[in-house]
Structures are given as structure tokens and as C-alpha cells.
Amino acid sequence: MSENTLTSLSWPFREAERIAERLKQKGKDHALFETGYGPSGLPHIGTFGEVARTTWVRKAFTDLTGMPSRLLAFSDDMDGLRKVPDNVPNKDMLRQHLGKPLTKIPDPFGKFESFGEHNNNMLQDFLRAFDFEFEFASASDYYASGRFDNALLHALAHHDEIVNIILPTLGAERKATYSPILPIHPRTGVVMQVPIEQVDVDNGTVVWTDPETGTRFETSVLGGNAKLQWKADWAMRWYALDVDYEMSGKDLIPSVKLSSDIVRALGKEPPVTLTYELFLDEKGQKISKSKGNGLSIDEWLTYAPKESLAQFMYHAPQRAKRLFFDVIPRATDDYINSVAALPTAEKPHDNPAWHIHAGKLPEHAGSPIGFTMLLNLASVINADSPEMLWGFIRAYIPGANAETYPFLAKLVHHAIAYNRDFVQPTKQYRAPTDVERGALVDLAESLKAGEQTTHKGDNEAEKLQNLVYEVGKRHPFAPLKAWFDCLYQVLLGTTEGPRFGGFIALYGVERTVALIETSLARD
């Protein structure tokens, strides 16, 4: 354990400290991390965020304690299918199986033995695509194999205590019929939500009546013949597996509290938990899958690399953030800056790139050119092919190509797509004011003359940035930011942009002068 680890202020290490304290109190020498997954739908951007964040906490725990750990990706695939998803084929077939566990329903895609197995495989493929290290667990397998039998008998013995914990949260009608036990109908295979008339702890059974036929059944709670309702099920899983850490969204705060109360009633302490905030759309409204007002992971990966999504997920998980297309460039540049700062960082564990790459930057990580810079270049030259951008890049970095700068090569492709779909359709130039016109003429003349600044720059981009600053200071801009707003809005047709000196260096001095003159002549 390094001194940097001990003094790290990053949130994954703060979480790791809480887990280490739990293990110390329990006398454990290993930790179990868990993430839960509802398999009725396909993996989404929230799935990525939860597993990524849990993985970062797990890595921090390893560095902090040196103890072994496991990450269990647990699929609640024994849940009954409540409705037919919109994005699947063979909907009529699925309607015939409503109410059954997903692992007992045929796969509408025709690829696997069941719908649950199909979605479980999609989840695992999804997680592997991002190189997450995990063990997969199926609720159906755990119930049917008997791994939960002892915990289920224990829950049955505490049936009334569990009921009393849940009842205050229910309406009058639901209170009259609630039980944490959901028997599986022995004839139809449906997960039954019915009143439990009798609990036999000694035999491990419950008695209930089929509301449609009036037939009375006595069902064992063991071996997959029954399951628990959601909050009791979560608590039973924590109890049975001795889970040490799990995070969940703000919408599950009541569930976390109730499940924690239940697991205490069963005789154990709940795991360390973290509640993360939910994402908002471009209007600040909560993202909803049913509304379709969010940003999918496929859409993000169309316009930026996966590392930028990890960077976005890393910062302040307990603060609500807008998740829409306009956050992508900033997140991508933040990642590039994190990579650039990591090799010389005094406290590397406080750098997001350290967590994103598990403590070791891959070869060729990062980019010498920012994403916003590439977007502005693509916008100005109307780039519709990578080679158009590479021509400028090679003039800026002699000999650069996709082999020597593979991450930059990815950014080039993403920049073309993002510019095509989001920048070009929204570009809107405005005419300069008299003050701005004078400053733009001054900048063009200064660039033509190769004017030297009073500051010594380390490179061409910095020298040009200093020149842009000095030109702005020679004119009555208040504040000076208004000068840069002018450059973006008048010259580029955007509301924001990169360091303008860097843009000039990449685009070229002569071309920038021509851009200024064209803008000044524009009606």
C-alpha cells in the first residue's frame, strides 16, 4: 500500500475504506462485490455505469488492503415476465407466457433455450466488450440448485418479521394479501402473487389457493419451487452470499432501506451501499426507458470512444448529470486531459484515468489533439472522410498516422460522425460588432505579419494562443471572454470551441487569415 493510496481523495478509495472497515469488523479476509441486473430488457448505459463504478471501487479496495475480492453480476432471471418488451420479435408467443420466469419462456430470437438465457448472454457479452472482470450468477440456477435453500428456510422462519417490515410501506388492499413468498404454480409455471394462508417452517412449505380455479396447493419454498418478492429477495441474497458492497440508483433508496432492515432481521448486517444519482435528459428531466428521452450506449459509442463514457461516469456519481449528446465532447476532452496528466501526477489515484485503466495506461493512450479541436476543424473544412482531417494533422504533426496515433485515429472517425449529425445542422454564424470587426482585422494582420508576442511559448500553439490574447487585450472587450465568444460565433458558427491558438496551429495560419477575411465579408 503506497502513501498515495493512503492519502487519495478519490471517491473509489473512500468507498474502499468503508468496505475495509466492514471486513475488519466481520473478521473476513475477502470481499464480495455485487451488481444486480433485471434481464427483462437489454443492457443499457446505466448497466455500464454501475459495473464500471463498482469495478473502480473493487480495484481501490485491492490497492488499499491487498485482500482478494470477487465481483458477482447477478441476474434476477427468475422474475415473472410482466409485459412484452417493445424491441423483441414473436410478441404473440411471449404473451402466452406472461407471468412465467424468464428462464422458462422460449427465446423469441430463437438462439437460446430461453428468453432469460438469451438476455443473460447479452449481458455477459456486453460486460466482456468493456473488459470487465466478473462472475455471472443466475437467480434461476441459484434457486433451483438449492444454493439458497438454507437462506429460504431462515427467511421462512422470520416470515412474520419480514411481513411487518414491509407492511407499513403498502396500501390497504396490498397489506391484506402481502407475503414475501411467491410460489411457482405447479401446473402453469407462473410466479404467483397470492395470499399465503399457512407457513410450515418445519417442512419448508407454504399453503395458498389458485384464485382462478380455487385449487389449494402446498408448495415447498426449496429447490426453485418458489421465490421471494423483490425487497425480501435482495435481502435474502445479501444474507446467503454475505455480500459486502453493492451500489444502486437513487430510485431504489426505499428498497435499500427495507432490504437492509430485512437482512438485519435475518441476523446479519447489510453490505456497504452507495446510492448514485440518476441521469437527466437535455431538458433536465429524469431519463426514462419508456419515454426514450435518454442517450443509449450505442449512440454514445457512435460519437466517442468508450473511455470517454467511463470518464463521464467517473465524476461525482452522487450528483445528477445531464446525459445527452452535447456532453460527449467535454467528456472526451476530459479523458484526454486525464491521460496527459497521469504520468506526472503526484497523486495518481486521484486521476480518473488511473481508475479507468486499472492503474496502468495502455500503450498509445491519449491524443495530442483534443476532440473539440478536431470537431472545429471538421466543421470548418466540412470533413466527410478521415483523410481530410489527417491532411491537417500531418501538417501539424509530421509523420502522424493511424498506426502511430491509434486513439487519435478513433477520434477522427468519431469527430466526422459527431460533426455530421450535431455540429453542421446547428452551425449559425453571426455578424461581428464594430469592436469585434476591428479586433478580427487586427488578428488577421498580426498573423500575416508573423507578429511575435511578449510571451515566450513552449510551442507554436501556445505562441499563437498568446498572440490571440494580446490582440483581444488591445480592444475594449469586457470581459476578455467576449473576444473568444466572437471568434467561435463569428468564425466557426458555434457557441464554444477549443483554445484558439491550438486551432490556428492545426488549421494553419494562412487558412485562418482567409477564414477571418471570409467571415468579415459574409453578409
Side-chain angles (χ1 to χ4, degrees), residues 14 23 45 66 88 145 162 198 230 232 272 288 297-298 333 344 357 409-410 414 424 428 447 458 460 508:
R14 299 285 76 82
L23 264 62
I45 204 163
V88 299
S145 68
I162 296 172
Q198 183 179 333
W230 156 235
V272 174
S288 165
I297 196 160
D298 287 338
D333 281 335
T344 57
H357 293 294
K410 293 180 183 178
H414 291 307
Q424 290 296 336
Q428 189 170 354
L447 289 171
D458 293 335
E460 186 67 14

Side-chain angles (χ1 to χ4, degrees), residues 114-126:
S114 71
F115 191 23
E117 185 182 352
H118 173 275
N119 287 354
N120 287 339
N121 274 272
M122 296 303 102
L123 169 66
Q124 294 177 76
D125 290 345
F126 175 86

Side-chain angles (χ1 to χ4, degrees), residues 217-238:
F217 294 96
E218 183 173 8
T219 298
S220 170
V221 300
L222 308 180
N225 294 301
K227 72 178 299 292
L228 297 186
Q229 298 244 26
W230 156 235
K231 299 175 184 69
D233 185 76
W234 204 9
M236 182 274 296
R237 190 194 310 165
W238 287 346

Side-chain angles (χ1 to χ4, degrees), residues 446 450-459 462-474:
S446 298
E451 179 179 315
Q452 299 296 311
T453 73
T454 58
H455 304 278
K456 291 184 179 181
D458 293 335
N459 53 49
E462 187 177 347
K463 292 176 183 177
L464 289 167
Q465 182 71 8
N466 288 330
L467 173 62
V468 173
Y469 264 108
E470 291 193 357
V471 170
K473 290 177 181 177
R474 292 201 288 260

Side-chain angles (χ1 to χ4, degrees), residues 486-506:
C486 158
L487 294 174
Y488 303 140
Q489 295 166 13
V490 175
L491 302 185
L492 304 181
T494 61
T495 57
E496 54 187 24
R499 286 173 61 86
F500 207 75
F503 174 78
I504 297 172
L506 179 61

Side-chain angles (χ1 to χ4, degrees), residues 231-495:
K231 299 175 184 69
D233 185 76
W234 204 9
M236 182 274 296
R237 190 194 310 165
W238 287 346
Y239 173 87
L241 304 178
D242 199 13
V243 175
D244 295 297
Y245 187 80
E246 184 156 359
M247 60 176 64
S248 55
K250 183 180 180 180
D251 54 335
L252 292 182
I253 287 177
S255 297
V256 171
K257 181 184 182 305
L258 290 171
S259 295
S260 297
D261 290 343
I262 292 171
V263 80
R264 289 189 182 100
L266 295 177
K268 286 188 178 180
E269 280 299 306
V272 174
T273 59
L274 171 71
T275 298
Y276 54 81
E277 264 286 1
L278 304 179
F279 298 120
L280 308 175
D281 65 13
E282 78 278 19
K283 297 178 182 178
Q285 301 297 311
K286 176 182 156 185
I287 283 178
S288 165
K289 285 190 290 184
S290 60
K291 292 181 181 178
N293 62 335
L295 176 64
S296 76
I297 196 160
D298 287 338
E299 288 171 327
W300 186 295
L301 297 180
T302 297
Y303 303 112
K306 62 184 180 181
E307 293 87 353
S308 65
L309 178 57
Q311 175 82 31
F312 177 81
M313 292 292 179
Y314 177 85
H315 282 298
Q318 292 174 292
R319 187 178 69 209
K321 291 183 286 189
R322 292 175 65 255
L323 178 59
F324 209 65
F325 295 101
D326 57 359
V327 306
I328 291 176
R330 172 66 179 273
T332 306
D333 281 335
D334 283 349
Y335 168 73
I336 294 169
N337 293 334
S338 295
V339 168
L342 183 57
T344 57
E346 291 185 9
K347 294 184 177 181
H349 298 88
D350 291 345
N351 185 308
W354 186 93
H355 297 273
I356 292 169
H357 293 294
K360 185 178 180 181
L361 284 178
E363 191 176 1
H364 301 304
S367 169
I369 300 173
F371 189 57
T372 305
M373 188 80 74
L374 286 174
L375 284 178
N376 280 276
L377 177 60
S379 171
V380 169
I381 68 173
N382 294 315
D384 58 8
S385 71
E387 188 52 38
M388 290 181 70
L389 289 177
W390 277 109
F392 287 89
I393 293 170
R394 282 192 289 270
Y396 181 61
I397 308 173
N401 57 49
E403 288 71 36
T404 55
Y405 292 96
F407 190 76
L408 175 57
K410 293 180 183 178
L411 295 182
V412 166
H413 283 276
H414 291 307
I416 291 170
Y418 193 96
N419 173 64
R420 177 193 65 226
D421 294 343
F422 298 107
V423 179
Q424 290 296 336
T426 60
K427 275 206 303 188
Q428 189 170 354
Y429 298 97
R430 68 168 176 83
T433 65
D434 290 342
V435 169
E436 292 170 341
R437 180 175 290 275
L440 288 169
V441 170
D442 187 357
L443 178 58
E445 294 300 321
S446 298
L447 289 171
K448 286 182 192 176
E451 179 179 315
Q452 299 296 311
T453 73
T454 58
H455 304 278
K456 291 184 179 181
D458 293 335
N459 53 49
E460 186 67 14
E462 187 177 347
K463 292 176 183 177
L464 289 167
Q465 182 71 8
N466 288 330
L467 173 62
V468 173
Y469 264 108
E470 291 193 357
V471 170
K473 290 177 181 177
R474 292 201 288 260
H475 298 267
F477 289 103
L480 189 58
K481 178 182 180 297
W483 166 228
F484 291 94
D485 291 340
C486 158
L487 294 174
Y488 303 140
Q489 295 166 13
V490 175
L491 302 185
L492 304 181
T494 61
T495 57

